[in-house]
């Protein structure tokens, strides 16, 4: 304070403002809104300081500006305790400047922060280090030279006195060197609850140092939402746990929230004992006086995640001089830079791309087909990041990833239970593999013309059918899409748990094409295949779980005959697998490029298969060879590597933000008078029938993180809040026209999926506040357009419009369930599986199939003929095959197709009609 300028006689906010007297409920920081709240509050205070600077009119106070400044300072005091930078000292200095009426200094302090926000790096603490210094108090804001090094925050958890805290932070700072690869700032919180709040609110925290002196409850008052979320997470008795157990508990809770964090333990007493008990929770344990080692470990921990072996190898290669006597003329720009005609290629893509193109697999580069160095390293890091035992990078999208997994698991004749509504790559893969496909139907959402997801009861029912038919041993795999295109998310753990209770060696393929981001948010993560497999693995070792499973089995099987109880009992019981016999064989395929940073086609296969090395490694390798190019695209691989780095270091922040942004659009659509007249965001209540929900909130995340947490813990299905299905029926425009004409052509807004009366908007980790504001603005403009259009209509046009709207809002012919395979392709009449490959290849025989126009086909079906499809018929939207090879055509399918106003129908030739199999002699030995 020594050189502080004397207070002026300007209007002041009044020194009486202390910690908030009431909770700031509406604007209390929660993990999902804190990033916006912080930015807005700092920006508001900068604005207020600017307004007040040089103003001497005391009536300003009456205008509410001062009250607002006080309120916002209270918000900052609730938030900044969890940030090292700018941190509490900076906020205290700001409060003091406002209280003294020194608005010039307040402006300097606020702008120092907002300049950081603008540059997306709010933590240039060198400039902020001493808020009381004369430079800060007197000099006008000037741009700080940005430190190019990536920055992060380290959280220390210990209840220390102010002096000890200052000494500790100073000691850590004294270790810093200009040559360090990263810079970090240190924040200290006193308690377990504060530590959890800090890692939830502050995504820049990358490492936590635990010291045994921490207390348990927070001294701040978390808002209701955060309080409830913490209460659901923290066991009641933690405060009385012995110190060792309390430390381990906190480590587990932190890892449960953000598994990527590096944890360090600094303790003096019993450090050896703690080391023995801590398992792999901590990166390292230290004694108190080892700050240099601690500093180096902090840097190394982050370097581990920052590492991108393949991206580095590509960069290194591109900088090395080389002469190419091999394929790939574009390599090093050879065929481009000297060309007279295609120079623009080099200009557009830049020389780096051409320098990075190579077909070499040595010199630091690696072979995707036999990875031994940098690609192997990239795959290992990806496995760690996504919680997999192994990860394989794929350069041809999840379409190929799915084919690889299917081929690696399924032998001809194996029964695979598949969602009929799944992506076409599964159907083609099952056809290639020669699977006996048993299709299951997702629950339909006829009103909106798309499907939900497959109820667990349907899956269990199907497995029990096979058990009754004596064919359970033939059932090899279940494949489901999580989440669905429309954002319906399964309870993955429960599905696997209950299915394994019926068939303990069942393999699961979860198509997570749309869900790669989910691994980086604590609530989403629980419903990913890898996290669910890990949770089941832990359960299978838990003595209490083993006991409960044993008791349940005793009740489900007759003690004397060993016969299972009636199927109804199995269907109505929440089944637990037998941990002794159940095997966890779980695969997930992810289109990294759809939801994380990666070039198009970048995908990953994550494996959590306890039997991989002895049952599947060889077939997996062969399947991988079958489908992988011998010239995989290095840029895609490098982008997967760097996309993984980003997910590990800032995935949590970005995923939270994308969900929040989507919800802000939903809120706006629900509140805006004109928007709600034409549009409606479909809620959980619209998308998930009541029988699959235990919680009541229509949009859980809008009620807070705790509500989302509860729904995601308990409901059979939940909706991904980062996706919005907008009902547009009241505009009188169908989904396809809305997408092309109104969104793309008029406003350059790109969406992918539509249905008859809905448009799907997805946020992603690249979505910004301004793109969301643009979307809202466009929706308002469109609503105004529809409003104007209506007011200009005469009575006839209005009547016609009314009819169009009624048709769009009304329910069309129901989505047709999978009918059945023709008897020739089935195994028996007790089960439903069909030999899709036999059906497909039947059509290769000359004269085996022909075409029928819809009218002729309808006549034959109505006449009772069994007409069998020769191929896949897939309308876009909805994008799943309405017919597959070998499937019997029904009236319901034809009515549905007739009502469909889709332009694009793969497998249907408008000039020739449907391709059908001509004749089907009975197959010996079959039904
Ligand atoms: C559920 C699902 N699985 C797989 C795929 C194929 O993914 P990719 O485009 O990466 O080949 C898609 C594509 O939209 C999909 O929706």
């Amino acid at each position: 304070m020594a050189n502080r300028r004397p207070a002026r006689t300007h209007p002041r906010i009044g020194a009486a403002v202390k910690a908030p007297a009431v909770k700031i409920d509406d604007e209390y920081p929660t993990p999902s809104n804190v990033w916006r709240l912080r930015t807005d509050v700092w920006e508001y205070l900068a604005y207020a300081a600017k307004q007040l600077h040089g103003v001497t009119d005391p009536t300003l106070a009456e205008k509410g500006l001062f009250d607002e400044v006080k309120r916002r300072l209270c918000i900052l005091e609730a938030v900044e305790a969890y940030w090292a930078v700018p941190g509490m000292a900076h906020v205290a200095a700001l409060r003091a400047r406002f209280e003294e009426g020194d608005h010039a200094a307040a402006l300097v302090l606020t702008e120092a922060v907002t300049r950081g926000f603008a540059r997306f790096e709010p933590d240039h603490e060198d400039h902020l280090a001493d808020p009381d210094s004369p430079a800060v108090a007197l000099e006008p804001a000037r741009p700080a030279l940005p430190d190019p090094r990536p920055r992060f925050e380290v959280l220390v958890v210990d209840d220390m006195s102010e002096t000890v805290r200052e000494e500790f932070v100073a000691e850590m700072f004294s270790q810093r060197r200009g040559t360090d690869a990263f810079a970090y700032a240190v924040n200290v919180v006193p308690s377990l609850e504060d530590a959890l709040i800090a890692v939830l609110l502050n995504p820049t925290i990358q490492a936590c140092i635990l010291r045994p002196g921490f207390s348990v409850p927070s001294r701040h008052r978390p808002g209701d939402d955060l309080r409830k979320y913490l209460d659901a997470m923290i066991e009641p008795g933690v405060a009385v746990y012995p110190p060792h157990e309390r430390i381990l508990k906190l480590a587990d809770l932190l890892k449960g929230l953000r598994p990527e964090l590096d944890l360090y333990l600094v303790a003096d007493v019993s450090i050896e004992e703690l080391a023995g008990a801590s398992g792999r929770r901590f990166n390292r344990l230290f004694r108190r006086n080892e700050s240099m080692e601690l500093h180096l470990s902090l840097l190394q921990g982050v370097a581990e995640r920052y590492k991108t072996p393949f991206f580095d190898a590509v960069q290194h290669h591109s900088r090395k001089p080389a002469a190419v006597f091999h394929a790939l003329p574009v390599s090093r720009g050879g065929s481009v830079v000297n060309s007279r005609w295609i120079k623009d290629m080099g200009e557009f893509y830049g020389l780096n791309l051409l320098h990075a193109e190579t077909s070499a697999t040595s010199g630091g580069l690696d072979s995707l087909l036999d990875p031994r160095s940098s690609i192997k390293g990239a795959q290992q890091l990806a496995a760690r990041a996504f919680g997999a035992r192994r990860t394989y990078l794929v350069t041809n999208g999840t379409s190929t990833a799915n084919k690889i997994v299917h081929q690696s698991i399924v032998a001809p004749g194996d029964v695979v239970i598949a969602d009929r509504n799944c992506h076409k790559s599964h159907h083609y893969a099952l056809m290639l593999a020669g699977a006996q496909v048993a299709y299951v139907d997702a629950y339909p959402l006829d009103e909106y013309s798309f499907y939900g997801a497959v109820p667990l009861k349907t899956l269990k029912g199907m497995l029990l059918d096979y058990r009754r038919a004596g064919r359970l041993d033939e059932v090899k795999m279940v494949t489901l899409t999580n989440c669905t295109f429309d954002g319906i998310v399964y309870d993955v753990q429960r599905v696997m748990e209950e299915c394994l209770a019926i068939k303990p060696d069942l393999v699961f393929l979860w198509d997570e094409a749309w869900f790669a981001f989910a691994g980086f948010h604590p609530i989403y993560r629980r419903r990913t295949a890898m996290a669910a497999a890990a949770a089941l693995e832990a359960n299978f070792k838990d003595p209490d779980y083993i006991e409960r499973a044993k008791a349940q089995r005793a009740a489900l099987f007759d003690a004397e005959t060993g016969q299972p109880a009636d199927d109804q009992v199995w269907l109505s019981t929440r089944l637990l697998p037998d941990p002794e016999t159940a095997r966890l064989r779980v695969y997930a395929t992810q289109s990294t490029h759809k939801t994380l940073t990666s070039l198009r086609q970048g995908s990953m296969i994550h494996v959590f298969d306890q039997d991989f090395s002895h049952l599947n490694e060889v077939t997996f390798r062969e399947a991988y060879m079958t489908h992988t190019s011998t010239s995989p695209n290095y840029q895609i691989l490098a982008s997967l590597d760097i996309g993984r780095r980003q997910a590990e270091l800032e995935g949590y922040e970005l995923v939270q933000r994308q969900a929040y942004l989507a919800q802000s659009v939903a809120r706006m659509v629900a509140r805006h008078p004109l928007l709600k007249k034409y549009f409606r965001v479909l809620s959980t209540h619209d998308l998930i029938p009541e029988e699959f929900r235990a919680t009541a909130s229509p949009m859980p995340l809008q009620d807070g993180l705790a509500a989302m947490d509860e729904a995601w813990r308990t409901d059979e299905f939940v909706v991904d809040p980062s996706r919005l299905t907008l009902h547009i029926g009241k505009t009188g425009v169908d989904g396809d026209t809305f997408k092309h004409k109104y969104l793309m052509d008029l406003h350059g807004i790109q969406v992918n999926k539509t249905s008859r009366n809905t448009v799907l908007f997805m946020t992603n980790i690249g979505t910004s506040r301004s793109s969301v504001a643009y979307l809202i603005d466009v929706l308002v403009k469109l609503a105004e357009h529809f409003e104007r259009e209506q007011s200009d209509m005469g009575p006839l046009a209005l009547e016609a419009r009314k009819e169009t709207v009624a048709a769009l809002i009304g329910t069309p012919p129901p989505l047709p369930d999978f009918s059945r395979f023709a008897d020739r392709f089935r195994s028996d009449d007790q089960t439903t599986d069909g030999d899709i490959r036999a059906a497909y290849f039947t059509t290769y025989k000359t004269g085996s199939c022909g075409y029928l126009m819809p009218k002729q086909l309808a006549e034959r079906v109505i006449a009772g003929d069994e007409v069998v499809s020769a191929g896949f018929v897939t309308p876009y939207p909805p994008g799943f095959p309405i017919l597959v090879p070998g499937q019997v055509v029904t009236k319901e399918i034809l009515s549905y197709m007739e009502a469909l106003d889709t332009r694009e129908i793969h497998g249907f030739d408008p000039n020739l009609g449907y391709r059908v199999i001509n004749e089907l002699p009975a197959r010996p030995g079959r039904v």
Side-chain angles (χ1 to χ4, degrees), residues 298 332 565 888:
L298 287 168
R332 319 202 71 82
V888 174

Side-chain angles (χ1 to χ4, degrees), residues 179-376:
T179 50
D180 293 340
F182 313 107
Y184 63 84
V186 178
N187 189 25
V188 182
V189 294
S191 71
L192 175 142
E193 284 190 356
D194 284 317
L196 298 176
I197 297 173
V199 301
L200 278 167
L201 296 188
N202 180 353
T204 67
I205 295 173
Q206 300 290 356
C208 301
I209 300 170
L210 275 52
R211 308 203 329 166
F214 62 82
S215 51
V216 172
S218 169
R219 281 177 214 153
H220 294 267
R221 286 209 291 166
D224 290 344
D225 178 31
L226 211 44
R227 181 72 266 159
K228 251 166 112 181
Y229 185 58
L230 291 178
D231 287 346
M233 193 184 342
I234 305 170
E235 292 154 27
V238 175
V240 291
Y241 280 8
H244 286 186
E245 274 179 41
R246 213 181 321 153
I247 291 170
L248 300 184
K249 186 74 214 168
L250 176 56
D252 288 342
L253 289 169
L254 291 169
K255 282 281 181 192
L257 291 176
R258 293 181 48 194
E260 75 280 6
L261 290 177
D262 296 320
L263 299 188
Y264 301 92
L265 178 63
V266 176
D268 277 344
V269 285
S270 327
I271 189 161
E272 298 79 4
E273 234 174 82
L274 272 166
S278 69
R280 286 165 45 196
R281 291 175 178 89
F282 295 101
N283 291 42
R284 245 187 102 170
L285 283 71
F286 293 98
R287 287 181 61 79
R288 275 179 207 265
N289 52 5
E290 293 179 300
S291 48
M292 186 61 189
E293 285 299 305
L294 180 55
H295 166 77
L296 294 175
S297 300
L298 287 168
L299 296 178
Q300 194 192 11
V302 170
E304 231 351 90
R305 280 178 274 155
Y306 192 82
K307 213 155 83 177
T308 42
F310 190 69
F311 177 54
D312 294 352
V314 168
Q315 288 185 83
H316 181 70
H317 173 86
S318 74
R319 290 188 201 114
K320 269 197 327 203
V324 178
F325 290 94
H326 191 21
L328 205 67
V330 295
S331 177
R332 319 202 71 82
S335 65
V336 179
V337 289
N338 298 322
S339 162
R340 286 191 296 279
W341 294 96
I342 63 165
K343 271 195 188 346
D344 49 344
M345 180 185 179
E347 283 157 17
F348 180 68
Y349 285 110
L351 275 186
N352 267 355
L353 177 72
L354 303 174
H355 278 265
E357 277 295 308
T358 174
S359 47
T361 54
S362 53
L365 294 164
D366 198 0
S367 160
L368 181 63
L369 294 167
D370 183 20
R372 285 158 191 268
S373 56
S374 49
I375 291 180
K376 186 175 178 191

Side-chain angles (χ1 to χ4, degrees), residues 396-402 421-426 481-485 511-514 589-594 600-603 752:
N396 321 50
T398 298
S399 305
T400 294
N402 286 335
N421 185 28
C422 63
H423 187 255
K424 63 181 180 210
S425 53
H426 296 276
T481 307
N482 190 54
C483 67
T484 68
F485 208 151
D511 181 334
E512 293 183 350
W514 294 103
T589 49
Q590 294 180 342
S591 295
T592 318
H593 68 101
K594 289 194 202 296
R600 204 160 151 81
Q601 294 194 1
S603 284
N752 193 335

Side-chain angles (χ1 to χ4, degrees), residues 358-619:
T358 174
S359 47
T361 54
S362 53
L365 294 164
D366 198 0
S367 160
L368 181 63
L369 294 167
D370 183 20
R372 285 158 191 268
S373 56
S374 49
I375 291 180
K376 186 175 178 191
Q379 296 193 142
Q380 283 166 344
L381 293 176
R384 180 193 64 198
F386 290 87
R389 291 276 176 88
R390 299 158 188 257
T391 289
Y392 294 86
L393 306 183
V394 178
T395 57
N396 321 50
T398 298
S399 305
T400 294
N402 286 335
K403 290 181 191 125
I404 292 171
V405 178
H406 280 291
Q407 186 182 319
S408 77
I409 306 279
V410 180
D414 284 344
V415 175
V416 175
I417 297 175
D419 176 2
R420 197 271 305 243
N421 185 28
C422 63
H423 187 255
K424 63 181 180 210
S425 53
H426 296 276
H427 304 277
Y428 284 109
L430 293 167
M431 184 265 286
L432 286 173
Q436 287 292 130
V437 187
Y439 283 119
V440 276
D441 282 298
Y443 65 80
L445 291 162
D446 290 330
E447 230 179 300
Y448 314 114
S449 301
F450 55 81
Y451 279 96
V454 182
L456 178 53
K457 240 187 182 148
T458 307
L459 295 167
K460 285 167 70 177
M462 169 97 42
L463 287 169
L464 294 171
D465 287 348
Y466 277 90
R467 185 164 76 182
R468 229 179 308 109
R471 295 183 58 208
L472 192 56
D473 60 322
E474 292 172 45
V475 183
K476 189 73 171 280
M477 181 161 82
V478 170
T479 179
L480 296 168
T481 307
N482 190 54
C483 67
T484 68
F485 208 151
D486 303 286
I488 313 289
V489 184
Y490 284 84
D491 184 339
V492 179
Q493 184 176 334
R494 181 166 173 193
V495 168
M496 296 201 289
E497 201 165 34
E498 295 217 36
C499 290
L500 286 174
I502 303 173
K503 177 84 166 67
D505 60 351
L506 202 58
V507 184
F508 295 89
L509 166 54
W510 291 96
D511 181 334
E512 293 183 350
W514 294 103
F515 219 39
F517 70 94
F520 301 92
H521 184 283
I523 298 178
Y524 277 98
R525 186 184 315 113
R526 285 202 302 266
R527 290 196 177 218
T528 63
M530 293 301 110
L536 283 177
E537 187 183 43
N539 281 350
F540 291 177
K541 291 180 188 151
D542 174 15
D544 177 50
Y545 187 94
I546 294 171
E547 211 42 55
R548 281 191 296 128
K550 202 167 158 192
Q552 187 183 78
R553 298 198 84 67
L556 284 175
F557 287 95
D558 186 292
E560 280 178 20
T561 62
Q563 285 303 306
D566 188 74
D567 283 358
Q568 277 313 318
V569 177
W570 283 69
L571 284 173
S572 58
T573 303
R574 176 154 184 171
L575 301 174
L576 300 176
D578 176 0
E580 276 192 20
T581 53
R583 304 301 296 160
L584 284 164
R585 306 198 59 197
V586 186
Y587 292 74
T589 49
Q590 294 180 342
S591 295
T592 318
H593 68 101
K594 289 194 202 296
T595 66
L596 294 174
T597 294
S598 158
L599 294 181
R600 204 160 151 81
Q601 294 194 1
S603 284
M604 296 191 193
I605 300 173
H606 302 302
V607 181
F608 196 118
D609 183 349
Q610 292 175 328
D611 295 333
F612 190 80
S613 53
H614 65 280
L615 287 186
N616 213 32
E617 190 156 14
V618 175
T619 51

